[in-house]
Amino acid sequence: MSFSANKAKLRLQRKNSRRFKRAEVERILAHVGAIERIAGRLDKSDQNRAELLQEGRAFLGDIGPVSVSTAAALLTISEPTVRAWTRRGLLTTATGHANGLDALRLHEVSTLVRDLRAAGHDRDLLNKVWHRLSDQALLDRDDLQESLGQMRSGQGIPTDVDELERELGIAD
């Protein structure tokens, strides 16, 4: 076989390998999404919910680093946009891999992008996804959940802002 034929064969093998990897990542992300939807139907205190979510994270860990081209195809955005989102911190690189992206974060972002697009939001995705992730990080905080629970059960103490300012000596 000639050098050019070998080169063409290797190029085709790499292309098929990338296509297979992308299909594998898409398949695993779909399974993890299904696991999360099932877990979402369970009560937050149910141990089965925690086990399902943990299993989903384990599947994502099995993927390993995801290439920029695969991430771009999954998110239906360009590779330069994926790189920009990575520089801005929306997507993160996999630990120990300069070019591969973290599959767990890619899954979180792809889920949010899909939901935003389904709601008709297709512009300014970077900021919209960033805000959703920030909001979720706040909602996941135990101290905030405890405070919200106290407020819902009526344990909160109503305050008058003007009175509070006077007590603190900061009234106008």
Side-chain angles (χ1 to χ4, degrees):
M1 193 178 286
S2 71
F3 177 73
S4 337
N6 276 339
K7 193 173 177 181
K9 183 179 175 182
L10 286 172
R11 195 176 13 232
L12 181 62
Q13 286 174 343
R14 278 195 302 269
K15 185 176 180 181
N16 287 337
S17 175
R18 283 191 301 268
R19 194 174 292 137
F20 173 77
K21 175 69 173 180
R22 182 171 45 208
E24 178 186 19
V25 170
E26 287 174 342
R27 183 179 55 77
I28 291 172
L29 291 179
H31 285 299
V32 171
I35 289 170
E36 289 175 344
R37 283 189 298 280
I38 293 167
R41 293 184 210 132
L42 300 174
D43 188 73
K44 289 186 179 184
S45 62
D46 190 336
Q47 183 60 32
N48 292 318
R49 176 189 171 109
E51 288 178 32
L52 280 170
L53 293 173
Q54 185 176 358
E55 195 63 30
R57 283 193 226 56
F59 276 128
L60 291 171
D62 290 345
I63 293 176
V66 178
S67 70
V68 169
S69 61
T70 298
L74 290 170
L75 295 167
T76 60
I77 58 177
S78 68
E79 289 183 31
T81 300
V82 169
R83 288 186 186 93
W85 286 16
T86 303
R87 281 192 304 275
R88 297 277 308 269
L90 188 60
L91 294 168
T92 56
T93 56
T95 306
H97 292 84
N99 295 326
L101 300 174
D102 179 68
L104 178 59
R105 183 58 167 235
L106 176 61
H107 172 65
E108 291 172 353
V109 169
S110 67
T111 300
L112 290 173
V113 167
R114 185 190 66 237
D115 293 348
L116 285 165
R117 284 183 173 147
H121 303 283
D122 206 26
R123 296 193 179 271
D124 196 26
L125 285 173
L126 172 72
N127 288 325
K128 289 175 181 167
V129 171
W130 184 264
H131 290 298
R132 292 262 179 113
L133 287 171
S134 298
D135 291 348
Q136 190 58 52
L138 283 173
L139 289 172
D140 289 343
R141 289 182 47 172
D142 291 335
D143 59 338
L144 179 61
Q145 287 302 316
E146 181 182 349
S147 295
L148 290 172
Q150 290 171 347
M151 184 181 73
R152 287 184 194 110
S153 67
Q155 296 174 5
I157 301 169
T159 59
D160 178 356
V161 174
D162 294 330
E163 182 182 325
L164 185 59
E165 285 178 341
R166 281 191 298 278
E167 285 180 21
L168 295 174
I170 55 174
D172 292 329

Short mmCIF file of all heavy atoms in Angstrom, two decimals, residues 19-73:
data_model
loop_
_atom_site.label_atom_id
_atom_site.label_comp_id
_atom_site.label_asym_id
_atom_site.label_seq_id
_atom_site.Cartn_x
_atom_site.Cartn_y
_atom_site.Cartn_z
N ARG A 19 -16.11 9.99 15.45
CA ARG A 19 -17.55 9.82 15.30
C ARG A 19 -18.07 8.82 16.34
O ARG A 19 -19.10 9.04 16.95
CB ARG A 19 -17.86 9.34 13.88
CG ARG A 19 -19.33 9.45 13.53
CD ARG A 19 -19.60 9.10 12.07
NE ARG A 19 -19.02 10.11 11.19
CZ ARG A 19 -18.37 9.83 10.07
NH1 ARG A 19 -18.21 8.58 9.68
NH2 ARG A 19 -17.89 10.79 9.32
N PHE A 20 -17.31 7.73 16.55
CA PHE A 20 -17.70 6.73 17.55
C PHE A 20 -17.67 7.34 18.94
O PHE A 20 -18.59 7.14 19.72
CB PHE A 20 -16.76 5.52 17.47
CG PHE A 20 -17.00 4.53 18.58
CD1 PHE A 20 -18.09 3.67 18.53
CD2 PHE A 20 -16.16 4.48 19.67
CE1 PHE A 20 -18.33 2.76 19.55
CE2 PHE A 20 -16.40 3.58 20.70
CZ PHE A 20 -17.48 2.72 20.64
N LYS A 21 -16.63 8.11 19.26
CA LYS A 21 -16.51 8.73 20.57
C LYS A 21 -17.68 9.69 20.81
O LYS A 21 -18.28 9.70 21.88
CB LYS A 21 -15.17 9.48 20.68
CG LYS A 21 -14.99 10.26 21.95
CD LYS A 21 -14.83 9.39 23.16
CE LYS A 21 -14.48 10.24 24.37
NZ LYS A 21 -14.32 9.48 25.56
N ARG A 22 -18.01 10.49 19.80
CA ARG A 22 -19.13 11.43 19.94
C ARG A 22 -20.43 10.67 20.18
O ARG A 22 -21.22 11.03 21.05
CB ARG A 22 -19.25 12.32 18.71
CG ARG A 22 -20.37 13.33 18.88
CD ARG A 22 -20.42 14.37 17.82
NE ARG A 22 -20.26 13.83 16.49
CZ ARG A 22 -19.75 14.51 15.47
NH1 ARG A 22 -19.32 15.73 15.63
NH2 ARG A 22 -19.66 13.97 14.28
N ALA A 23 -20.65 9.58 19.43
CA ALA A 23 -21.87 8.78 19.62
C ALA A 23 -21.91 8.16 21.01
O ALA A 23 -22.96 8.12 21.65
CB ALA A 23 -21.95 7.69 18.55
N GLU A 24 -20.75 7.72 21.48
CA GLU A 24 -20.67 7.13 22.83
C GLU A 24 -20.98 8.18 23.90
O GLU A 24 -21.75 7.93 24.82
CB GLU A 24 -19.27 6.55 23.05
CG GLU A 24 -19.08 5.95 24.43
CD GLU A 24 -17.64 5.51 24.68
OE1 GLU A 24 -16.73 5.97 23.97
OE2 GLU A 24 -17.44 4.72 25.61
N VAL A 25 -20.42 9.36 23.76
CA VAL A 25 -20.68 10.45 24.72
C VAL A 25 -22.16 10.83 24.68
O VAL A 25 -22.79 10.98 25.74
CB VAL A 25 -19.77 11.67 24.42
CG1 VAL A 25 -20.20 12.88 25.24
CG2 VAL A 25 -18.32 11.33 24.70
N GLU A 26 -22.74 10.96 23.49
CA GLU A 26 -24.16 11.29 23.37
C GLU A 26 -25.03 10.23 24.04
O GLU A 26 -26.00 10.56 24.74
CB GLU A 26 -24.56 11.41 21.90
CG GLU A 26 -24.05 12.65 21.23
CD GLU A 26 -24.33 12.68 19.73
OE1 GLU A 26 -24.62 11.62 19.14
OE2 GLU A 26 -24.25 13.77 19.16
N ARG A 27 -24.68 8.97 23.84
CA ARG A 27 -25.45 7.86 24.43
C ARG A 27 -25.38 7.91 25.96
O ARG A 27 -26.40 7.80 26.64
CB ARG A 27 -24.91 6.53 23.90
CG ARG A 27 -25.67 5.31 24.37
CD ARG A 27 -25.07 4.02 23.78
NE ARG A 27 -23.66 3.85 24.04
CZ ARG A 27 -23.14 3.45 25.22
NH1 ARG A 27 -23.93 3.17 26.21
NH2 ARG A 27 -21.85 3.32 25.37
N ILE A 28 -24.19 8.09 26.49
CA ILE A 28 -24.03 8.13 27.95
C ILE A 28 -24.75 9.34 28.53
O ILE A 28 -25.43 9.24 29.56
CB ILE A 28 -22.54 8.10 28.34
CG1 ILE A 28 -21.96 6.71 28.00
CG2 ILE A 28 -22.35 8.41 29.82
CD1 ILE A 28 -20.46 6.60 28.17
N LEU A 29 -24.63 10.51 27.89
CA LEU A 29 -25.33 11.70 28.39
C LEU A 29 -26.84 11.50 28.38
O LEU A 29 -27.54 11.94 29.29
CB LEU A 29 -24.94 12.94 27.58
CG LEU A 29 -23.52 13.45 27.74
CD1 LEU A 29 -23.28 14.67 26.86
CD2 LEU A 29 -23.18 13.76 29.17
N ALA A 30 -27.35 10.82 27.37
CA ALA A 30 -28.79 10.53 27.31
C ALA A 30 -29.20 9.62 28.46
O ALA A 30 -30.24 9.84 29.10
CB ALA A 30 -29.15 9.90 25.97
N HIS A 31 -28.39 8.60 28.74
CA HIS A 31 -28.69 7.69 29.86
C HIS A 31 -28.64 8.43 31.20
O HIS A 31 -29.51 8.23 32.05
CB HIS A 31 -27.73 6.50 29.89
CG HIS A 31 -27.99 5.48 28.83
ND1 HIS A 31 -29.17 4.78 28.74
CD2 HIS A 31 -27.22 5.04 27.80
CE1 HIS A 31 -29.12 3.95 27.71
NE2 HIS A 31 -27.95 4.10 27.12
N VAL A 32 -27.63 9.27 31.37
CA VAL A 32 -27.52 10.03 32.62
C VAL A 32 -28.71 10.97 32.76
O VAL A 32 -29.27 11.12 33.85
CB VAL A 32 -26.17 10.78 32.69
CG1 VAL A 32 -26.14 11.75 33.86
CG2 VAL A 32 -25.02 9.79 32.77
N GLY A 33 -29.13 11.59 31.67
CA GLY A 33 -30.31 12.45 31.70
C GLY A 33 -31.55 11.68 32.13
O GLY A 33 -32.36 12.17 32.93
N ALA A 34 -31.71 10.46 31.62
CA ALA A 34 -32.85 9.62 32.01
C ALA A 34 -32.77 9.27 33.49
O ALA A 34 -33.79 9.31 34.20
CB ALA A 34 -32.89 8.35 31.16
N ILE A 35 -31.58 8.94 33.97
CA ILE A 35 -31.40 8.62 35.39
C ILE A 35 -31.78 9.82 36.24
O ILE A 35 -32.48 9.69 37.26
CB ILE A 35 -29.95 8.18 35.67
CG1 ILE A 35 -29.68 6.80 35.06
CG2 ILE A 35 -29.63 8.19 37.16
CD1 ILE A 35 -28.22 6.38 35.07
N GLU A 36 -31.35 11.02 35.82
CA GLU A 36 -31.67 12.23 36.59
C GLU A 36 -33.16 12.54 36.58
O GLU A 36 -33.71 12.97 37.60
CB GLU A 36 -30.87 13.41 36.05
CG GLU A 36 -29.40 13.32 36.36
CD GLU A 36 -28.58 14.42 35.73
OE1 GLU A 36 -29.06 15.10 34.81
OE2 GLU A 36 -27.43 14.59 36.17
N ARG A 37 -33.82 12.30 35.44
CA ARG A 37 -35.28 12.53 35.40
C ARG A 37 -36.00 11.57 36.35
O ARG A 37 -36.94 11.97 37.05
CB ARG A 37 -35.80 12.38 33.97
CG ARG A 37 -35.50 13.59 33.11
CD ARG A 37 -36.21 13.53 31.77
NE ARG A 37 -35.80 12.39 30.95
CZ ARG A 37 -34.70 12.32 30.22
NH1 ARG A 37 -33.86 13.35 30.22
NH2 ARG A 37 -34.41 11.26 29.50
N ILE A 38 -35.58 10.31 36.39
CA ILE A 38 -36.19 9.34 37.29
C ILE A 38 -35.92 9.74 38.74
O ILE A 38 -36.83 9.74 39.57
CB ILE A 38 -35.66 7.91 37.00
CG1 ILE A 38 -36.14 7.45 35.62
CG2 ILE A 38 -36.09 6.94 38.10
CD1 ILE A 38 -35.42 6.22 35.11
N ALA A 39 -34.68 10.12 39.03
CA ALA A 39 -34.33 10.54 40.40
C ALA A 39 -35.12 11.77 40.80
O ALA A 39 -35.51 11.91 41.97
CB ALA A 39 -32.83 10.81 40.49
N GLY A 40 -35.40 12.66 39.84
CA GLY A 40 -36.15 13.87 40.12
C GLY A 40 -37.58 13.61 40.56
O GLY A 40 -38.20 14.45 41.20
N ARG A 41 -38.10 12.45 40.23
CA ARG A 41 -39.47 12.09 40.65
C ARG A 41 -39.52 11.58 42.09
O ARG A 41 -40.60 11.43 42.65
CB ARG A 41 -40.03 11.02 39.72
CG ARG A 41 -40.25 11.50 38.32
CD ARG A 41 -40.90 10.43 37.47
NE ARG A 41 -40.48 10.59 36.09
CZ ARG A 41 -40.03 9.63 35.30
NH1 ARG A 41 -39.97 8.40 35.73
NH2 ARG A 41 -39.65 9.89 34.08
N LEU A 42 -38.35 11.28 42.64
CA LEU A 42 -38.30 10.76 44.01
C LEU A 42 -38.13 11.90 45.00
O LEU A 42 -37.59 12.95 44.68
CB LEU A 42 -37.12 9.77 44.15
CG LEU A 42 -37.16 8.55 43.22
CD1 LEU A 42 -35.87 7.75 43.37
CD2 LEU A 42 -38.36 7.68 43.51
N ASP A 43 -38.59 11.66 46.23
CA ASP A 43 -38.45 12.64 47.29
C ASP A 43 -36.97 12.87 47.57
O ASP A 43 -36.16 11.95 47.51
CB ASP A 43 -39.15 12.13 48.55
CG ASP A 43 -39.20 13.17 49.63
OD1 ASP A 43 -39.97 14.13 49.49
OD2 ASP A 43 -38.44 13.02 50.62
N LYS A 44 -36.62 14.12 47.89
CA LYS A 44 -35.22 14.45 48.13
C LYS A 44 -34.61 13.67 49.29
O LYS A 44 -33.40 13.46 49.33
CB LYS A 44 -35.06 15.95 48.38
CG LYS A 44 -35.27 16.76 47.13
CD LYS A 44 -34.98 18.22 47.35
CE LYS A 44 -35.17 18.97 46.05
NZ LYS A 44 -34.82 20.36 46.16
N SER A 45 -35.41 13.21 50.21
CA SER A 45 -34.89 12.45 51.34
C SER A 45 -34.77 10.96 51.05
O SER A 45 -34.21 10.21 51.85
CB SER A 45 -35.78 12.65 52.58
OG SER A 45 -37.09 12.17 52.30
N ASP A 46 -35.25 10.52 49.90
CA ASP A 46 -35.21 9.11 49.52
C ASP A 46 -33.78 8.71 49.16
O ASP A 46 -33.14 9.32 48.30
CB ASP A 46 -36.14 8.87 48.32
CG ASP A 46 -36.34 7.40 47.99
OD1 ASP A 46 -35.48 6.58 48.34
OD2 ASP A 46 -37.38 7.08 47.38
N GLN A 47 -33.26 7.68 49.82
CA GLN A 47 -31.89 7.21 49.57
C GLN A 47 -31.73 6.73 48.13
O GLN A 47 -30.65 6.85 47.55
CB GLN A 47 -31.54 6.09 50.55
CG GLN A 47 -30.12 5.57 50.42
CD GLN A 47 -29.06 6.63 50.65
OE1 GLN A 47 -29.24 7.56 51.42
NE2 GLN A 47 -27.94 6.52 49.95
N ASN A 48 -32.78 6.20 47.52
CA ASN A 48 -32.71 5.75 46.13
C ASN A 48 -32.37 6.91 45.19
O ASN A 48 -31.66 6.73 44.20
CB ASN A 48 -34.02 5.10 45.70
CG ASN A 48 -34.26 3.80 46.43
OD1 ASN A 48 -33.35 3.00 46.60
ND2 ASN A 48 -35.49 3.58 46.86
N ARG A 49 -32.89 8.08 45.50
CA ARG A 49 -32.59 9.27 44.68
C ARG A 49 -31.10 9.56 44.70
O ARG A 49 -30.48 9.75 43.66
CB ARG A 49 -33.38 10.46 45.20
CG ARG A 49 -33.06 11.75 44.49
CD ARG A 49 -33.72 12.94 45.19
NE ARG A 49 -33.27 14.18 44.66
CZ ARG A 49 -33.99 15.00 43.93
NH1 ARG A 49 -35.25 14.71 43.67
NH2 ARG A 49 -33.49 16.12 43.49
N ALA A 50 -30.52 9.57 45.90
CA ALA A 50 -29.09 9.85 46.03
C ALA A 50 -28.25 8.79 45.31
O ALA A 50 -27.27 9.12 44.64
CB ALA A 50 -28.70 9.91 47.51
N GLU A 51 -28.67 7.53 45.41
CA GLU A 51 -27.93 6.46 44.74
C GLU A 51 -28.02 6.59 43.22
O GLU A 51 -27.02 6.38 42.52
CB GLU A 51 -28.46 5.10 45.18
CG GLU A 51 -28.08 4.72 46.60
CD GLU A 51 -28.65 3.38 47.02
OE1 GLU A 51 -28.80 2.49 46.16
OE2 GLU A 51 -28.95 3.25 48.22
N LEU A 52 -29.19 6.93 42.71
CA LEU A 52 -29.34 7.12 41.26
C LEU A 52 -28.46 8.27 40.76
O LEU A 52 -27.77 8.14 39.74
CB LEU A 52 -30.80 7.41 40.91
CG LEU A 52 -31.73 6.22 40.84
CD1 LEU A 52 -33.18 6.68 40.72
CD2 LEU A 52 -31.37 5.32 39.66
N LEU A 53 -28.48 9.38 41.47
CA LEU A 53 -27.67 10.52 41.06
C LEU A 53 -26.17 10.20 41.13
O LEU A 53 -25.40 10.59 40.26
CB LEU A 53 -28.01 11.75 41.90
CG LEU A 53 -29.41 12.31 41.68
CD1 LEU A 53 -29.72 13.41 42.69
CD2 LEU A 53 -29.59 12.79 40.26
N GLN A 54 -25.77 9.46 42.14
CA GLN A 54 -24.38 9.04 42.27
C GLN A 54 -23.99 8.12 41.11
O GLN A 54 -22.89 8.23 40.55
CB GLN A 54 -24.15 8.35 43.61
CG GLN A 54 -22.71 7.99 43.87
CD GLN A 54 -22.53 7.38 45.25
OE1 GLN A 54 -23.46 7.26 46.04
NE2 GLN A 54 -21.31 6.98 45.55
N GLU A 55 -24.88 7.23 40.74
CA GLU A 55 -24.61 6.33 39.62
C GLU A 55 -24.47 7.10 38.31
O GLU A 55 -23.60 6.80 37.49
CB GLU A 55 -25.74 5.29 39.51
CG GLU A 55 -25.42 4.12 38.64
CD GLU A 55 -24.27 3.28 39.14
OE1 GLU A 55 -24.04 3.20 40.37
OE2 GLU A 55 -23.58 2.68 38.30
N GLY A 56 -25.30 8.11 38.13
CA GLY A 56 -25.19 8.96 36.95
C GLY A 56 -23.85 9.66 36.88
O GLY A 56 -23.21 9.71 35.82
N ARG A 57 -23.39 10.18 38.03
CA ARG A 57 -22.08 10.83 38.06
C ARG A 57 -20.96 9.84 37.74
O ARG A 57 -19.98 10.20 37.09
CB ARG A 57 -21.84 11.48 39.42
CG ARG A 57 -22.59 12.79 39.60
CD ARG A 57 -22.09 13.54 40.81
NE ARG A 57 -23.06 14.09 41.70
CZ ARG A 57 -24.06 13.49 42.34
NH1 ARG A 57 -24.28 12.23 42.19
NH2 ARG A 57 -24.87 14.13 43.14
N ALA A 58 -21.13 8.60 38.19
CA ALA A 58 -20.12 7.57 37.91
C ALA A 58 -20.05 7.31 36.40
O ALA A 58 -18.95 7.16 35.84
CB ALA A 58 -20.45 6.29 38.66
N PHE A 59 -21.20 7.25 35.74
CA PHE A 59 -21.21 7.07 34.28
C PHE A 59 -20.46 8.21 33.60
O PHE A 59 -19.68 8.00 32.67
CB PHE A 59 -22.64 7.03 33.72
CG PHE A 59 -23.29 5.69 33.81
CD1 PHE A 59 -24.54 5.56 34.40
CD2 PHE A 59 -22.69 4.55 33.30
CE1 PHE A 59 -25.16 4.34 34.48
CE2 PHE A 59 -23.30 3.32 33.37
CZ PHE A 59 -24.54 3.21 33.97
N LEU A 60 -20.70 9.43 34.06
CA LEU A 60 -20.02 10.58 33.46
C LEU A 60 -18.51 10.50 33.69
O LEU A 60 -17.73 10.88 32.83
CB LEU A 60 -20.58 11.88 34.03
CG LEU A 60 -22.01 12.20 33.62
CD1 LEU A 60 -22.54 13.40 34.40
CD2 LEU A 60 -22.10 12.45 32.13
N GLY A 61 -18.12 9.97 34.84
CA GLY A 61 -16.70 9.80 35.12
C GLY A 61 -16.05 8.79 34.19
O GLY A 61 -14.87 8.88 33.87
N ASP A 62 -16.84 7.81 33.73
CA ASP A 62 -16.32 6.79 32.82
C ASP A 62 -16.04 7.34 31.43
O ASP A 62 -15.27 6.75 30.68
CB ASP A 62 -17.31 5.62 32.70
CG ASP A 62 -17.39 4.80 33.98
OD1 ASP A 62 -16.50 4.94 34.84
OD2 ASP A 62 -18.36 4.03 34.11
N ILE A 63 -16.67 8.44 31.06
CA ILE A 63 -16.46 9.00 29.73
C ILE A 63 -15.02 9.46 29.55
O ILE A 63 -14.43 9.28 28.50
CB ILE A 63 -17.42 10.19 29.47
CG1 ILE A 63 -18.85 9.71 29.40
CG2 ILE A 63 -17.04 10.91 28.18
CD1 ILE A 63 -19.86 10.84 29.24
N GLY A 64 -14.47 10.05 30.59
CA GLY A 64 -13.14 10.63 30.45
C GLY A 64 -13.24 12.00 29.81
O GLY A 64 -14.33 12.53 29.61
N PRO A 65 -12.11 12.59 29.45
CA PRO A 65 -12.13 13.92 28.85
C PRO A 65 -12.86 13.91 27.50
O PRO A 65 -12.74 12.96 26.73
CB PRO A 65 -10.66 14.25 28.64
CG PRO A 65 -9.89 13.22 29.35
CD PRO A 65 -10.77 12.06 29.61
N VAL A 66 -13.60 14.96 27.24
CA VAL A 66 -14.37 15.08 26.00
C VAL A 66 -13.69 16.14 25.14
O VAL A 66 -13.36 17.23 25.61
CB VAL A 66 -15.83 15.48 26.29
CG1 VAL A 66 -16.63 15.66 25.02
CG2 VAL A 66 -16.49 14.46 27.21
N SER A 67 -13.50 15.83 23.87
CA SER A 67 -12.82 16.77 22.98
C SER A 67 -13.69 17.99 22.71
O SER A 67 -14.92 17.96 22.84
CB SER A 67 -12.49 16.09 21.65
OG SER A 67 -13.67 15.85 20.92
N VAL A 68 -13.03 19.06 22.32
CA VAL A 68 -13.72 20.31 22.00
C VAL A 68 -14.69 20.08 20.83
O VAL A 68 -15.82 20.57 20.84
CB VAL A 68 -12.71 21.43 21.68
CG1 VAL A 68 -13.38 22.65 21.08
CG2 VAL A 68 -11.94 21.80 22.94
N SER A 69 -14.25 19.31 19.84
CA SER A 69 -15.12 19.08 18.67
C SER A 69 -16.37 18.30 19.07
O SER A 69 -17.47 18.58 18.58
CB SER A 69 -14.36 18.35 17.56
OG SER A 69 -13.92 17.09 18.00
N THR A 70 -16.23 17.33 19.96
CA THR A 70 -17.39 16.57 20.43
C THR A 70 -18.32 17.46 21.23
O THR A 70 -19.54 17.43 21.05
CB THR A 70 -16.94 15.35 21.27
OG1 THR A 70 -16.16 14.49 20.44
CG2 THR A 70 -18.12 14.58 21.83
N ALA A 71 -17.75 18.28 22.11
CA ALA A 71 -18.57 19.21 22.90
C ALA A 71 -19.32 20.17 22.00
O ALA A 71 -20.50 20.44 22.22
CB ALA A 71 -17.69 19.97 23.89
N ALA A 72 -18.65 20.68 20.97
CA ALA A 72 -19.30 21.61 20.04
C ALA A 72 -20.47 20.94 19.34
O ALA A 72 -21.55 21.54 19.21
CB ALA A 72 -18.28 22.12 19.01
N ALA A 73 -20.28 19.70 18.92
CA ALA A 73 -21.37 18.98 18.25
C ALA A 73 -22.53 18.73 19.21
O ALA A 73 -23.69 18.87 18.82
CB ALA A 73 -20.85 17.65 17.69
#
